[in-house]
Each structure stands twice: as structure tokens, then as C-alpha cells.
Amino acid sequence: MVGATTHRRMQLDDLSIFYRDAGPPEAPVLLLPHGYPCSSFQFRQLMPALADRWRTIALDWPGFGYSSTPDLTAFGYDFDAYADVLAKLADAFGLERYALWLHDYGSQIGLRHAISYPDRVTALIIQNGDIYEDVLGPKYAVIKAWWADKTPDKHRPLEAAVSEDGFRAEFIGEVADDVAMRVPPDLWKLHWPLMDTPVRRQVAVDLMEKLEANLAWFPRYQAYLRAHHPPTLFVWGPEDGYMPAASARAYHRDLPDAELYLIDRAGHWLLETHFDDALPLIREFLARVHA
């Protein structure tokens, strides 16, 4: 069936990785690393919508979705460890050239991968992924408060965010009510039970903590963009307290020719709320730069 998405597993060393795969095996590939607090489920609409001309592959990171959850002593659960998983997945598929989708934590992971393998990356599509410290949005205030004062009181909001209510707030807490109604509750109702284990809750909190060390990578990400100028499309939801419109526009410092679309009234999860606005932009871009 044309456009059908298959759901499979692969073994990468000691990791059991769940992934979704759509499109002809010989077609140009778009890799879809996911963000927080979600899984490959976030790409369930996009993958079949591109499958007539492109192959799309989306995985669940270790500790998320349907992938395995090694003990905290057996896997790093940081952006370097996840970038290593992405490289191993690409190698397992025998991929030599592909485009990358960058969103949320996936942008930190994907750009580390691009720095290591610049000759593989044909193009970038960036959906709300931040790499400029001076334009981080106001919602970073809670995390910054803990960075500045590592006390239990400052840490509790991070812990509280890793909950069903916290996930719900991430998905619908910033957009207007009529936009929020487009977001299916499955995103938190189905995902939270998968995340509600001691190790997975700790992983999610730890990743928020590790954003502080990740700031040191921001200049390296920017240097990669300046050095390689990958063809880049931005489809961005400006109603985002972590990554507002200024976070998108900042990329033009290093990619002045990149295509930037701020989708009106969309937020961090625009593929849920403004899919029909984003899809033509994505298809037209891929047809020009990743055929």
C-alpha cells in the first residue's frame, strides 16, 4: 500500500530500538529524530504524507516510546549518547545521504550528528529547535533558576513537569483554546503511561538538567551552519515559550538564505495543529533540494 507506515524493531548493540518506516526503500531519506515529551508518534501524519516520493524513518530514543530503557549505569542518556544511537541507526540502514528533521531535543541531537557526519546531511528542516542563547524564551526561567541555585526548591518544578499534567501543559498550554482543540489527548494520555517508570522519569528530569551543559555546544552548532550552509527550511510555531519567533530569526545570522516560515497561531507542536499549512512547504522544499 503506497504511503503505509510500518512499525518495527532493530537491535543496536544492547538497545532494542522501535522505529517507524514509510516510503520506497530506494527513495531519498528524511530522518526524523523526535523531541520531548514525545516519541516517533509525533510524525505519524507526516510520514505517509511524504511516502510517495521520500522514505521517512523515525525512531524512539532509548527511554522513550517503545524502545528499551537500559539502566542509568548502562546508557548515557545525554545528547552525545543519543547522537551515537542516531549514527548507528543510519549505519544499520546503510544510509549514506539523508535530510534531517530537527525539533526540540532532536535539534541538539541531530546537529551533533551533522557535525560528526557533515557529508551525509543533504538538508535540514527545523521545527522549533533552539541554538542561540540570547533569544531563549521566557519559559527557560524555571530551568535557569535551578542552574543558578541548585537547591531542592528550585528543582521541584523540573520534577513536576514530568507528569501527565506537565505533558499536557507542554502540548496545549501555550496556544489559543481553538488551536489547542486540534491536539489529540493521545499525545499525553498514551505517552505518559509509557514514561511513568522510575528510570524514565529520572531520564526526563536529567535531560532538563543537561541543557545547561548543552549551552556550550551552541557555538559549535552555529559554526557548523556557517561552514556547511546546508539547505534549510524553517517551519516554526511562534507561540512557543521556550523557542519564540526570535529563536527562529536568529538562525539567519548563520544561514541568511534559509527559508523561514512562522506559521500564524502555531506553537511548539505545529504538526498537530497546522499540518495542512506546513506540508506544502515541506514537500516543495524537499522536491528542490532532496530529490
Side-chain angles (χ1 to χ4, degrees):
M1 177 181 175
V2 175
T5 301
T6 60
H7 307 82
R8 307 181 187 184
R9 287 189 174 275
M10 69 164 52
Q11 198 70 24
L12 297 179
D13 297 332
D14 295 330
L15 301 169
S16 176
I17 299 297
F18 174 85
Y19 68 94
R20 303 167 196 258
D21 188 355
E26 69 281 1
V29 174
L30 172 62
L31 290 182
L32 299 162
H34 69 81
Y36 170 89
C38 205
S39 67
S40 60
F41 184 71
Q42 76 180 71
F43 300 114
R44 68 197 181 282
Q45 294 186 86
L46 181 65
M47 297 176 73
L50 298 177
D52 60 323
R53 294 187 58 180
W54 298 277
R55 185 182 186 186
T56 52
I57 302 170
L59 77 159
D60 290 351
W61 298 122
F64 290 84
Y66 298 121
S67 287
S68 62
T69 307
D71 186 80
L72 292 166
T73 61
F75 182 75
Y77 290 111
D78 59 19
F79 298 120
D80 284 332
Y82 285 131
D84 184 59
V85 170
L86 187 61
K88 288 177 177 176
L89 178 126
D91 289 343
F93 278 105
L95 304 178
E96 297 180 355
R97 301 275 285 167
Y98 39 84
L100 276 176
W101 187 283
L102 306 180
H103 177 238
D104 195 84
Y105 286 169
S107 62
Q108 315 304 322
I109 299 161
L111 283 170
R112 291 185 191 214
H113 177 81
I115 289 169
S116 297
Y117 304 96
D119 293 338
R120 295 187 182 186
V121 177
T122 60
L124 301 175
I125 300 176
I126 304 180
Q127 174 206 347
N128 295 64
D130 49 341
I131 65 166
Y132 295 91
E133 187 173 359
D134 62 312
V135 287
L136 296 178
K139 283 187 73 173
Y140 266 98
V142 172
I143 299 175
K144 288 180 177 179
W146 182 77
W147 293 346
D149 181 19
K150 293 183 172 63
T151 61
D153 281 349
K154 293 294 192 296
H155 197 262
R156 287 190 190 98
L158 277 61
E159 299 168 17
V162 184
S163 63
E164 183 177 325
D165 286 344
F167 283 10
R168 180 181 182 276
E170 291 291 341
F171 286 117
I172 65 171
E174 298 180 308
V175 293
D177 288 347
D178 62 315
V179 174
M181 287 189 292
R182 306 174 197 171
V183 181
D186 313 281
L187 283 168
W188 61 91
K189 286 292 187 181
L190 297 182
H191 191 53
W192 172 244
L194 292 173
M195 294 298 295
D196 191 15
T197 72
V199 173
R200 287 191 165 199
R201 291 195 304 270
Q202 187 62 53
V203 166
V205 173
D206 286 352
L207 282 170
M208 284 187 271
E209 295 175 356
K210 291 167 183 174
L211 286 171
E212 181 179 18
N214 186 58
L215 294 177
W217 276 81
F218 281 13
R220 297 177 66 177
Y221 300 150
Q222 296 158 19
Y224 160 79
L225 297 177
R226 289 193 301 274
H228 295 281
H229 283 276
T232 302
L233 169 71
F234 295 91
V235 282
W236 201 283
E239 303 301 318
D240 186 334
Y242 288 110
M243 304 159 207
S247 298
R249 294 190 182 102
Y251 278 89
H252 274 157
R253 302 171 191 173
D254 300 307
L255 292 174
D257 298 324
E259 301 173 46
L260 170 58
Y261 297 92
L262 299 174
I263 298 181
D264 187 46
R265 306 186 75 226
H268 196 73
W269 301 95
L270 65 86
L271 290 183
E272 302 295 336
T273 60
H274 292 75
F275 183 79
D276 291 341
D277 297 290
L279 182 61
L281 303 174
I282 297 162
R283 288 185 61 89
E284 193 274 335
F285 174 75
L286 289 174
R288 282 189 291 104
V289 305
H290 192 52

